[in-house]
Amino acid sequence: MADIVEIKVPDIGDFKNIPVIEVLVKPGDAVRKEDPLITLESDKATMDVPAPQAGVVKEIRVRTGDKVSEGSLILTLEIPPTPPLLKGGDLASPTTPLAKGSNAAPSSPPLAKGGGAAPSSPPLAKGGGAAPSSPPLAKGGSEAGGFAGPKGDIHAEVLVLGAGPGGYTAAFRAADLGKKVVLVERFPALGGVCLNVGCIPSKALLHVAKVLTEAEAIAHAGIEFGKPKVDLARLRAWKAGVVGKHTTGLVGLAKQRKVQVVHGTGRFASPHTLRVETAEGAKTISFDYCVIAAGSSIARIPGFPYDDKRMIDSTSALELPGVPKRLLVIGGGIIGLEMATVYDALGAKVSVVELMDSLIPGADKDIVRPLAKRIEKRYEKILLQTKVVKIEPQKDGLKVTYEGANAPNPEIFDSILMAVGRRPNGKDINAQAAGVSVNERGFIPVDRQLRTNVPHIHAIGDICGEPMLAHKATHEGKTAAEVIAGHKAFFDARTIPSVAYTDPEVAWMGETETQLQARGAEFERASFPWAASGRASSMDRNEGMTKLLFDKSTRRLLGAAIVGVNAGELISETVLAFEMGADATDIGLTVHPHPTLSETVFFAAEIADGSITDLFMPRK
């Protein structure tokens, strides 16, 4: 006689009242262990709830739109004395995962406390590798991604579309795991936007900007260098050399791993083929598995005269065509302010216009304030809550008309830098030919194993969701490669840090104070001013601040933010503390070298713990 078992929502971490966005089964369906039953969507992730055992669905107890928490009843499952028959007469196995329709990949494990996915197998001992999983079934009954159809001009076990940080990481990791890999890149050099026209060249120029401004600032201490002479041609050549060293290194790494590189623009032709337009003509590449790492492109506001060479974006700005006398930066986010830092140091008179009420809108206002105060003294103007509504090319420059409560009269600038963000390239790769879902914004939804809705196709980096950051892409690329190789891997980062490499730098991770307040969290704020830091004072850069946010009851770290010199280097300690579940006492008892800027994290934790001696804090 069959047993009736109630299936409830398992431990999904610190989440309550999570909406059900899809019910994946119906009464009468035979399910195997680990088959997805329902899909939940929190503010942090989408997750499937898997069947804890095999059986036949008897009664569904939830509907789409219902809100559930740990322990909520999902359905009842009939457990027959012998394994139930699936369609076609196959026996359902409680150990081999089979997704709905017999062709979808198994879902990601449910989220664990802290937002990471719960492991589906016991933790491995030290020195152990990830346990291989049974490959999910694909359409046609072969292993997921296994392609039995006609092969293309080139065939790959793993095809990676895009050779940015995420793409080349995925390709190299897959090759290291024994896969035959083909890497497709539309640009002549590997490295994508980040290495060629983004992260690396911008940081090279920001280093130059830092040298220039520090040489200028040290004059008050009795050291004067005189006005610097900037040779743009040599500066461009040096920057190109920095980039070239790294792109050449990637070519070498690809050859060492026997990764075949194909240069050209790739678009899907079917679920198992990609058509690549190369300099030698079109080539068809067939594949068992694919990792989409096609990145993002510069966003533009419609209606502006982009054909005018005086209108530049982050890519053309890094080419250093010249230093304009007056430069307007549209967009007060990270990209815009980094480029403003470079051109200000090179001698341009810079103005910044931002639609929101604060620079770097994603960060807390108190963390941005020291940066705003410093650049207010250097730049011509900073216009907040202001919009550019018209740009008119004229002989003597570009005439700009503003809109907003504090909008100035129209002005003329020698050059305008458009820095209003980036858009994902999901709609540019003919994803529909492969059956891959792309949302209205151009993002490709994925699960925690970076699978798209097509089980043998994964997506990573900018194209699969925000934040659009290279370090997120690299971790996702590694995960996707390991999943394809059969490892029980999943992307479970609890936080992804953000850094603005301005002067001073601004960095943050975890939840911001604004986010905690919005969700009504009970938290404690501990802020250490760098004016009390011996190291900051000796560098004559004591405008900084280190802020830690702790849960009021557990005392665990919820978020951190730092503004000051090298904040981007300092934030990593707080990321590790957050991942490890450290509390204020853990950080406050960790011995830091003195005098260092890293001490400011220690001091902030001591403030929260009530044990600081470097400041006088009134008793609570």
Side-chain angles (χ1 to χ4, degrees):
M1 184 174 176
D3 294 327
I4 304 299
V5 177
E6 291 186 340
I7 306 300
K8 299 179 181 180
V9 176
D11 180 1
I12 54 175
D14 299 325
F15 296 96
K16 295 181 180 179
N17 298 321
I18 306 299
V20 177
I21 62 171
E22 189 175 3
V23 177
L24 302 172
V25 294
K26 62 183 183 300
D29 281 356
V31 297
R32 292 179 177 176
K33 185 179 180 181
E34 300 298 333
D35 276 6
L37 303 176
I38 61 174
T39 302
L40 309 179
E41 185 171 58
S42 73
D43 59 347
K44 292 186 176 181
T46 299
M47 50 188 157
D48 290 337
V49 175
Q53 60 189 107
V56 177
V57 177
K58 185 171 180 61
E59 184 181 4
I60 304 291
R61 302 297 291 272
V62 293
R63 296 179 299 178
T64 300
D66 287 354
K67 293 186 176 181
V68 298
S69 304
E70 181 181 348
S72 298
L73 181 61
I74 300 173
L75 52 80
T76 55
L77 199 63
E78 184 177 356
I79 312 299
T82 57
L85 289 177
L86 295 173
K87 290 180 182 179
D90 293 330
L91 282 174
S93 165
T95 58
T96 304
L98 181 65
K100 184 176 135 184
S102 298
N103 56 32
S107 64
S108 313
L111 292 185
K113 290 182 180 179
S120 55
S121 59
L124 296 169
K126 289 182 180 179
S133 60
S134 302
L137 296 183
K139 290 182 180 178
S142 61
E143 290 184 358
F147 181 46
K151 301 296 190 286
D153 301 314
I154 302 170
H155 182 75
E157 288 183 278
V158 180
L159 169 68
V160 180
L161 178 58
Y168 71 70
T169 298
F172 295 171
R173 181 62 176 145
D176 289 345
L177 292 171
K179 299 295 182 181
K180 179 184 177 184
V181 181
V182 175
L183 179 59
V184 176
E185 170 54 49
R186 58 177 171 162
F187 294 122
L190 301 183
V193 168
C194 176
L195 181 48
N196 290 282
V197 291
C199 318
I200 304 305
S202 67
K203 302 314 168 282
L205 294 181
L206 283 162
H207 169 69
V208 170
K210 184 176 182 180
V211 171
L212 289 170
T213 53
E214 286 187 343
E216 175 188 332
I218 201 66
H220 78 279
I223 308 296
E224 295 189 39
F225 294 99
K227 186 176 181 179
K229 180 182 177 182
V230 178
D231 185 333
L232 285 181
R234 290 176 64 188
L235 179 54
R236 282 192 291 265
W238 173 76
K239 172 188 65 83
V242 172
V243 172
K245 181 188 297 184
H246 288 275
T247 56
T248 302
L250 289 179
V251 171
L253 290 173
K255 287 181 179 178
Q256 288 172 329
R257 291 177 163 88
K258 295 181 172 56
V259 171
Q260 183 176 355
V261 178
V262 177
H263 290 283
T265 302
R267 290 167 58 85
F268 285 99
S270 77
H272 280 281
T273 57
L274 188 82
R275 179 182 172 88
V276 184
E277 298 293 338
T278 75
E280 296 80 32
K283 293 183 180 180
T284 299
I285 303 176
S286 55
F287 56 84
D288 297 337
Y289 295 88
C290 178
V291 179
I292 301 172
S296 61
S297 302
I298 293 167
R300 287 184 167 184
I301 299 174
F304 290 164
Y306 295 106
D307 55 346
D308 193 305
K309 291 184 178 180
R310 295 169 294 185
M311 288 285 298
I312 61 176
D313 54 32
S314 58
T315 297
S316 52
L318 288 169
E319 293 171 358
L320 291 177
V323 179
K325 291 182 179 179
R326 297 190 75 213
L327 171 69
L328 176 66
V329 178
I330 301 178
I334 291 176
I335 295 174
L337 292 180
E338 287 184 354
M339 287 293 91
T341 300
V342 170
Y343 277 85
D344 165 68
L346 292 175
K349 293 183 178 179
V350 176
S351 294
V352 178
V353 57
E354 168 57 45
L355 186 61
M356 305 301 287
D357 63 352
S358 174
L359 299 173
I360 314 182
D364 284 329
K365 290 182 180 179
D366 61 339
I367 286 295
V368 177
R369 195 171 297 123
L371 168 64
K373 285 184 177 180
R374 179 176 171 83
I375 63 178
E376 279 171 0
K377 298 174 183 177
R378 297 186 62 92
Y379 297 178
E380 273 201 291
K381 61 175 70 70
I382 297 174
L383 304 171
L384 301 178
Q385 295 180 291
T386 304
K387 181 180 180 181
V388 173
V389 293
K390 187 188 294 185
I391 298 175
E392 301 170 274
Q394 296 188 353
K395 187 176 181 179
D396 58 345
L398 297 168
K399 184 179 179 180
V400 177
T401 303
Y402 305 98
E403 186 179 89
N406 301 311
N409 293 326
E411 299 178 282
I412 293 179
F413 292 90
D414 298 293
S415 189
I416 296 176
L417 169 63
M418 183 65 64
V420 293
R422 301 185 64 84
R423 63 166 186 83
N425 291 330
K427 295 183 179 180
D428 301 335
I429 58 174
N430 199 31
Q432 65 272 17
V436 173
S437 295
V438 181
N439 70 18
E440 65 282 355
R441 295 180 60 196
F443 288 112
I444 297 176
V446 295
D447 64 17
R448 284 290 180 175
Q449 291 185 304
L450 290 313
R451 285 191 180 95
T452 68
N453 61 302
V454 179
H456 65 276
I457 299 179
H458 298 244
I460 63 171
D462 291 2
I463 209 165
C464 76
E466 295 177 334
M468 293 184 179
L469 298 170
H471 43 282
K472 164 181 167 283
T474 57
H475 282 265
E476 289 175 335
K478 183 180 179 183
T479 299
E482 291 173 351
V483 170
I484 288 170
H487 291 233
K488 287 187 176 179
F490 47 88
F491 185 66
D492 66 343
R494 294 188 64 203
T495 186
I496 299 168
S498 295
V499 181
Y501 296 90
T502 47
D503 185 17
E505 293 181 2
V506 178
W508 67 99
M509 73 90 207
E511 290 186 272
T512 64
E513 193 168 355
T514 303
Q515 290 170 333
L516 290 170
Q517 290 170 346
R519 71 176 179 85
E522 293 287 328
F523 70 95
E524 182 178 349
R525 176 184 191 273
S527 178
F528 181 80
W530 283 23
S533 163
R535 178 61 171 158
S537 295
S538 66
M539 297 169 66
D540 198 29
R541 294 301 302 269
N542 59 10
E543 75 272 27
M545 177 176 71
T546 298
K547 177 172 70 171
L548 303 181
L549 304 169
F550 296 97
D551 184 286
K552 209 162 191 176
S553 58
T554 67
R555 310 285 292 156
R556 286 191 172 184
L557 186 65
L558 297 175
I562 305 174
V563 56
V565 177
N566 295 335
E569 309 291 341
L570 302 175
I571 199 67
S572 296
E573 176 183 353
T574 68
V575 175
L576 179 60
F578 185 76
E579 289 282 357
M580 298 297 290
D583 59 23
T585 302
D586 292 328
I587 301 171
L589 290 177
T590 301
V591 179
H592 289 64
H594 173 80
T596 59
L597 296 176
S598 67
E599 276 183 307
T600 64
V601 176
F602 160 72
F603 290 142
E606 281 195 317
I607 290 173
D609 215 33
S611 61
I612 190 166
T613 56
D614 282 63
L615 287 177
F616 175 73
M617 305 297 293
R619 290 180 178 271
K620 296 182 180 179

